[in-house]
Amino acid sequence: MFNDRAMSSDDSNPAATPTPCQDIQGDGRWMCMHNRFVSDSKGKEPDVLFVGDSLVQLLHEFEVWRKLFSPLHALNFGIGGDATQHVLWRLGNGELDHISPKVVVLWVGTNNHGHHPHQICGGIMAIVNLINQKLPHAHTLVLGLLPRGKNPNLLRDRNAEVNQLVQSEVATLPHASFLNVDPGFVHSDGTIWHQDLYDYLHLTPQAYQKVCEPLHDRIKALLDQPAENQVS
Amino acid sequence: MSGEEQNPAAVPDPVQDVQGDGRWMSQHNRFVQECKDAEPDVLFVGDSMIQLMQQYEVWRELFSPLHALNFGIGGDTTCNVLWRLQNGELDNIRPRVVVVWVGTNNHEHNAEQVAGGILTITQYLRSCLPRSKVVVLGLLPRGERPNPLREKNASVNSLLRSALDRGGPVQFLNMSGAFVHSDGTISPRDMFDYLHLTAGGYSTIATPLHELLLQLLEETPQERRASLV
């Protein structure tokens, strides 16, 4: 079991402690998906790797993936329900071992229930640091957490605070940058529409289109830069 | 199921807002509101297997044209669906067919209880909509390889098949056979996480379901004057 010295598991922050998902339900799906990603990484040479939770995973199932990201030679290592500690475990246990993408897109944090914004930020930064160690030539693009829930609520506040903290921390790093991909899902009356987030959390295909166009442009710009010189 | 103890899978129960953004109740309230405005011929109700269908092209191609409403909520158990139906999601609508797909999330219950919960839902639907037909979809296999949940879901399906008469007002449609390969595995091309269907997976089940719905709609008269096409 790999336990990296430089950004080791921070036992005082559960969001930054690599943790696999336990198979409570009985069908072992999480580990099967992780193993599939590890074996995918042995056969492929992606230029872009997407990693995170269901917002990453579901993206792969809609037309927008085929149109915008397949042409960039992208792989998708999203698992629904994952929090930062799960992604940290996956990346430290094989998912980065056989590939050298130029850009890693990281989108995780909204499932860190019970963790405070500082802890969630710590978890995201632990992932950014792990990626930098394993893939020193890659640029990590951290996506902002989207608002959620039909009406204003504590999770929106929490996600907004996480975004502020992460944006500041990432600004000091040459190998990473932060991108806010919220095109304005919250309307003037404070509501989110189900036409955008069909369950007030997950994106509809039309909402993915709005999120992914600027994301695609940003990734392309990063891919077009010479490897040593990536500046956010 | 003995009459003495209540089946826990047949007890109506809303989802508590543990996470803090009230999404389940928001979705339920939206469905209740939709009942005030819409006149669906087909109502789909259940868990994420129903909910996610609406996000794929297949919904627009095959089911929207049937004037269908989608009242799926991810994570729902039979208890949650029963509560929703009893608390407004059938008010003011008279769908000619109701499609029910729920049971795979009933982790606290055994196969008999889950089947009993699904049958309680169908009985409730029949009591509210005596002239409508109900289609119960069989639980799909899950997990990459054979595992206890596949066995449990298969048992639920067996129990439902025995309980429901072919050609009666409540029909059972099971499409599980399409997904398990000869080596016992399920492909991520059909179920991207070995549970939820891809666009291709939905296309596989949509065809027989659509055919059955067309047939049932023909058999089941409308209760109001026909809408203009």
Side-chain angles (χ1 to χ4, degrees):
Chain A
M1 186 85 102
F2 181 80
N3 189 358
D4 180 33
R5 180 178 38 82
M7 192 61 226
S8 62
S9 71
D10 179 347
D11 290 330
S12 61
N13 181 3
T17 306
T19 311
C21 228
Q22 299 305 322
D23 179 27
I24 301 176
Q25 295 177 353
D27 54 10
R29 298 181 304 107
W30 192 88
M31 197 54 79
C32 287
M33 287 185 267
H34 165 67
N35 290 336
R36 181 174 100 228
F37 297 156
V38 174
S39 95
D40 277 354
S41 75
K42 289 177 187 158
K44 309 205 165 126
E45 292 181 2
D47 288 328
V48 186
L49 174 68
F50 283 71
V51 67
D53 54 32
S54 59
L55 295 180
V56 172
Q57 186 171 37
L58 259 181
L59 171 59
H60 184 267
E61 301 311 312
F62 296 128
E63 211 20 35
V64 66
W65 180 267
R66 210 184 52 82
K67 282 191 337 215
L68 293 184
F69 300 120
S70 291
L72 302 183
H73 307 287
L75 274 191
N76 187 306
F77 288 1
I79 297 187
D82 266 16
T84 54
Q85 63 272 21
H86 306 121
V87 170
L88 191 57
W89 188 92
R90 294 198 279 120
L91 296 182
N93 283 273
E95 290 183 16
L96 294 181
D97 289 358
H98 308 281
I99 49 176
S100 348
K102 301 186 184 114
V103 178
V104 179
V105 179
L106 175 63
W107 207 8
V108 68
T110 201
N111 295 320
N112 277 65
H113 297 295
H115 298 157
H116 302 302
H118 276 95
Q119 291 175 315
I120 302 173
C121 176
I124 292 170
M125 295 316 300
I127 297 169
V128 170
N129 288 323
L130 177 63
I131 294 169
N132 184 241
Q133 267 163 31
K134 285 193 160 273
L135 305 173
H137 302 296
H139 186 94
T140 298
L141 186 55
V142 183
L143 302 188
L145 304 185
L146 292 178
R148 50 186 288 173
K150 177 167 187 246
N151 297 305
N153 63 82
L154 293 177
L155 291 186
R156 283 199 202 169
D157 301 337
R158 181 203 70 176
N159 283 4
E161 207 183 321
V162 169
N163 290 346
Q164 290 223 325
L165 293 169
V166 170
Q167 187 162 20
S168 311
E169 286 223 30
V170 159
T172 66
L173 303 175
H175 54 82
S177 53
F178 177 87
L179 183 65
N180 174 14
V181 291
D182 177 8
F185 286 133
V186 179
H187 294 269
S188 50
D189 63 356
T191 64
I192 283 177
W193 292 355
H194 70 274
Q195 290 89 341
D196 290 322
L197 303 186
Y198 63 84
D199 60 354
Y200 311 109
L201 173 61
H202 294 103
L203 296 158
T204 60
Q206 80 188 33
Y208 266 121
Q209 199 61 44
K210 290 191 251 188
V211 162
C212 289
E213 269 152 26
L215 172 57
H216 168 266
D217 292 345
R218 188 60 194 279
I219 295 172
K220 272 223 74 186
L222 287 168
L223 289 174
D224 291 342
Q225 280 174 350
E228 303 313 314
N229 262 4
Q230 286 172 0
V231 174
S232 51
Chain B
M1 285 305 306
S2 90
E4 287 116 33
E5 291 167 19
Q6 189 148 33
N7 173 6
V11 177
D13 201 18
V15 168
Q16 300 304 324
D17 179 25
V18 179
Q19 294 179 353
D21 55 9
R23 295 183 308 107
W24 191 88
M25 198 53 79
S26 294
Q27 292 171 79
H28 166 66
N29 289 337
R30 182 173 96 231
F31 298 156
V32 174
Q33 187 59 44
E34 283 182 42
C35 286
K36 296 183 178 143
D37 306 322
E39 291 182 355
D41 284 328
V42 186
L43 175 66
F44 285 73
V45 68
D47 55 28
S48 61
M49 305 302 290
I50 290 287
Q51 185 171 40
L52 203 50
M53 202 184 321
Q54 191 172 22
Q55 302 309 316
Y56 290 114
E57 263 308 280
V58 69
W59 183 265
R60 207 181 52 81
E61 283 167 8
L62 294 185
F63 300 117
S64 280
L66 303 184
H67 304 117
L69 279 189
N70 187 308
F71 287 2
I73 299 186
D76 266 17
T77 64
T78 53
C79 308
N80 307 139
V81 168
L82 190 57
W83 188 93
R84 294 197 278 121
L85 293 174
Q86 292 179 350
N87 284 271
E89 289 185 18
L90 292 179
D91 290 357
N92 304 311
I93 56 171
R94 281 254 175 286
R96 292 147 68 194
V97 184
V98 182
V99 179
V100 179
W101 207 5
V102 68
T104 201
N105 296 320
N106 280 61
H107 296 297
E108 308 299 305
H109 308 135
N110 64 37
E112 287 76 16
Q113 291 168 330
V114 178
I118 293 168
L119 292 172
T120 300
I121 290 170
T122 63
Q123 282 150 22
Y124 182 73
L125 288 168
R126 292 280 303 141
S127 71
C128 291
L129 301 166
R131 284 182 279 283
S132 303
K133 301 271 166 59
V134 178
V135 175
V136 174
L137 298 186
L139 304 186
L140 294 184
R142 49 186 287 172
E144 191 188 15
R145 303 201 154 83
N147 65 82
L149 287 188
R150 282 204 203 168
E151 290 160 28
K152 179 184 170 191
N153 283 4
S155 297
V156 172
N157 290 344
S158 281
L159 292 163
L160 291 173
R161 189 178 300 111
S162 309
L164 298 172
D165 298 322
R166 233 176 288 240
V170 182
Q171 302 204 12
F172 179 63
L173 180 60
N174 185 18
M175 293 163 293
S176 318
F179 297 108
V180 180
H181 295 263
S182 52
D183 63 356
T185 62
I186 285 175
S187 166
R189 291 188 204 279
D190 290 322
M191 295 185 188
F192 59 86
D193 60 356
Y194 310 110
L195 172 62
H196 295 103
L197 294 164
T198 60
Y202 273 114
S203 295
T204 299
I205 62 146
T207 309
L209 175 57
H210 180 250
E211 275 173 25
L212 177 59
L213 289 176
L214 286 181
Q215 180 196 317
L216 293 175
L217 285 168
E218 250 194 60
E219 296 169 5
T220 316
Q222 282 177 296
E223 299 204 359
R224 61 189 186 288
R225 65 186 156 81
S227 38
L228 296 171
V229 173

